[in-house]
Amino acid sequence: MSIQNQHSMPIQWEFLISKLKSSVTVVDATSPELPLIYVNEHFTTLTGYSYEESVGQNCRFLQGQDTLPETVSKIREALRQQQSIKTEILNYTKTGRKFWNELNIDPIFNDEGECLFFVGIQYDISERKYAEEQLRMAAHMAEMNSRGQLEFIGKLNHELRTPLNGIMGMIELVGMEETSNEQKEYLELARQSGEALLNIVNKSLDVAKLGRGKMKVEQIDFQPSKLIQQIIKTHEVAARQKQISLVCHLDLEVPEVLVGDPLRLRQVLDNLINNAIKFTEQGEVHIQVDVKETLKDVTTLVFSIQDTGIGIPQDQMNQLFEAFTQTDVSHARRFGGSGLGLTICKELMELMHGEIRVESQEGQGTQFQVTVPLKRQRMMPNVGNVG
């Protein structure tokens, strides 16, 4: 049966196929050698082999030393099973140049179900594969550079801590001697400066550990109520000095004993409460601990830290958890800080399979919510000091 177009002209299929901008091949499926019996013009242009050089050959004549044997085996198995296949394969031109093909092969059956041909349509995807390889190399180089920078930060911080601890110790020793009021004031300024620098060193070291995947979380028994009491006691003096209220409410449903990493949890809560007190001039800082849900042996707690401080502008909320970033340069001068604390909090919460969220209105205050799943302890252990 002849097929005609709308102008009643017979369609010349071989002519159309020969002019396609993708390679078309036809293989004789009835021959054990599976020879090519047809290739179109684009095939000859891409490979460099003429029609006469190609017909009669098995397609493996395009393969070379870097063609993956696994890919070749997969194609052979599909042909043996007389099934369609789509894959990517590295081939070679007549001059030895490599090129990547996206290969689509379909079997053609007659009415009796006998497989007569395999028709292959190939697309040259060399440019795409080259771009993918460049992206992989760029990502690898970026990862190596980042890892090198983090290792340098880690080593540098270890080198800084020893002399810095020595300076802090000397300041403490001098403070124990007879000193004038003016000297005491100078020593106190030196102590505060040393503590601020030591805090930056410690936080930078945490960032380096997190970046290298060296930070680990423990799974030990602790008492949430005792942990909160110790945290509140730590910050009471700072709140009292600023004449702001530090209020805490603990849900009675909070289990007496849970399993997690109290040290890292305290690190997160200490940072958030310290920030809340630092950025609040009047009013209060309110800490609320609630049970979000209990599923089998896991209890999820929510720690809310809400203040009546300066708040955070909405256009700066997205960069809040980025390293070395502060919402306002003037805040860094006025309140201090390295811009690392919230970055570490976020990373630590991810390590503990929790999350940290923030809501804020500029001039009205901020609320941070820390949600963390903790395993329940069925039997009451001998829980020691969690601080």
Side-chain angles (χ1 to χ4, degrees):
M1 180 179 69
S2 63
I3 301 176
Q4 296 180 330
N5 61 14
Q6 61 180 342
H7 302 293
S8 299
M9 297 280 293
I11 296 177
Q12 298 177 321
W13 291 108
E14 188 171 342
F15 172 78
L16 292 177
I17 294 172
S18 69
K19 300 301 180 182
L20 288 175
K21 295 302 181 182
S22 53
S23 298
V24 179
T25 57
V26 180
V27 168
D28 182 1
T30 64
S31 171
E33 290 298 316
L34 300 177
L36 286 166
I37 58 174
Y38 174 81
V39 296
N40 72 344
E41 290 181 12
H42 191 76
F43 176 92
T44 61
T45 302
L46 175 63
T47 65
Y49 291 99
S50 67
Y51 182 93
E52 290 74 20
E53 290 173 313
S54 302
V55 169
Q57 296 259 34
N58 184 285
C59 287
R60 59 177 172 266
F61 83 106
L62 296 174
Q63 298 163 14
Q65 62 179 7
D66 290 335
T67 304
L68 290 177
E70 296 86 352
T71 305
V72 176
S73 298
K74 186 167 66 172
I75 294 171
R76 286 177 179 172
E77 181 61 20
L79 296 180
R80 189 182 70 82
Q81 298 285 344
Q82 298 179 353
Q83 295 175 343
S84 298
I85 184 174
K86 178 179 179 180
T87 189
E88 295 176 356
I89 187 170
L90 179 66
N91 283 331
Y92 289 76
T93 66
K94 186 177 181 178
T95 60
R97 180 180 62 84
K98 298 177 182 179
F99 68 98
W100 278 94
N101 258 351
E102 181 186 284
L103 177 61
N104 301 267
I105 301 177
D106 288 299
I108 305 299
F109 299 91
N110 62 15
D111 293 339
E112 286 72 37
E114 180 186 6
C115 183
L116 301 180
F117 308 104
F118 289 109
V119 175
I121 300 178
Q122 300 92 30
Y123 303 96
D124 184 4
I125 58 170
S126 300
E127 289 187 7
R128 192 193 81 194
K129 297 292 284 189
Y130 175 76
E132 289 175 355
E133 181 61 24
Q134 293 299 306
L135 284 173
R136 276 194 294 268
M137 290 178 62
H140 177 70
M141 291 299 296
E143 182 181 353
M144 294 297 292
N145 289 336
S146 177
R147 188 177 300 172
Q149 291 171 1
L150 290 171
E151 288 179 356
F152 172 74
I153 291 172
K155 291 177 181 178
L156 179 62
N157 285 351
H158 280 299
E159 294 297 324
L160 287 172
R161 284 170 64 87
T162 300
L164 188 54
N165 283 329
I167 292 171
M168 295 294 290
M170 290 301 102
I171 292 172
E172 291 293 330
L173 287 175
V174 173
M176 296 169 65
E177 302 291 334
E178 288 273 345
T179 54
S180 66
N181 290 335
E182 186 177 13
Q183 289 172 328
K184 287 180 180 178
E185 183 179 348
Y186 292 155
L187 286 171
E188 178 60 20
L189 287 173
R191 186 190 65 78
Q192 291 177 2
S193 298
E195 285 184 349
L197 183 56
L198 187 60
N199 186 44
I200 293 174
V201 169
N202 289 336
K203 287 181 177 178
S204 298
L205 188 58
D206 280 344
V207 169
K209 286 180 180 178
L210 287 164
R212 289 182 291 162
K214 299 294 185 181
M215 184 74 78
K216 305 296 181 184
V217 293
E218 292 185 301
Q219 291 295 316
I220 61 175
D221 304 327
F222 73 99
Q223 294 172 285
S225 59
K226 189 173 183 180
L227 176 66
I228 290 297
Q229 288 171 10
Q230 292 176 348
I231 292 173
I232 295 300
K233 191 173 183 180
T234 301
H235 295 279
E236 277 180 345
V237 175
R240 193 180 306 120
Q241 288 175 345
K242 295 192 70 174
Q243 297 182 338
I244 61 176
S245 300
L246 185 59
V247 183
C248 179
H249 288 100
L250 183 73
D251 187 348
L252 294 176
E253 297 297 319
V254 174
E256 186 175 357
V257 179
L258 288 171
V259 180
D261 193 329
L263 178 63
R264 295 305 176 190
L265 181 57
R266 177 168 184 166
Q267 185 176 352
V268 172
L269 297 177
D270 271 334
N271 187 275
L272 296 177
I273 295 172
N274 180 66
N275 282 349
I277 294 172
K278 180 167 64 175
F279 293 113
T280 300
E281 295 298 324
Q282 59 182 1
E284 69 174 23
V285 172
H286 184 266
I287 298 101
Q288 178 77 33
V289 186
D290 293 303
V291 174
K292 181 181 180 181
E293 63 180 4
T294 298
L295 298 173
K296 294 184 179 179
D297 61 343
V298 175
T299 294
T300 300
L301 297 185
V302 178
F303 299 84
S304 300
I305 297 92
Q306 186 164 6
D307 64 58
T308 56
I310 60 177
I312 304 167
Q314 291 299 313
D315 61 348
Q316 296 177 14
M317 295 279 279
N318 290 336
Q319 63 183 14
L320 198 59
F321 295 99
E322 294 178 8
F324 301 103
T325 300
Q326 291 188 322
T327 57
D328 194 321
V329 176
S330 64
H331 292 167
R333 292 195 297 266
R334 181 181 174 190
F335 299 106
S338 61
L340 286 172
L342 290 178
T343 302
I344 295 171
C345 288
K346 182 176 182 292
E347 297 282 351
L348 287 176
M349 290 315 303
E350 289 177 356
L351 276 179
M352 291 188 281
H353 306 292
E355 65 174 353
I356 181 170
R357 301 172 59 190
V358 59
E359 296 179 0
S360 185
Q361 287 191 344
E362 191 172 8
Q364 296 186 31
T366 302
Q367 181 185 48
F368 281 91
Q369 278 196 342
V370 171
T371 305
V372 57
L374 300 163
K375 291 184 179 179
R376 300 189 67 177
Q377 176 58 263
R378 295 183 182 277
M379 297 178 63
M380 177 62 184
N382 182 19
V383 181
N385 194 315
V386 295

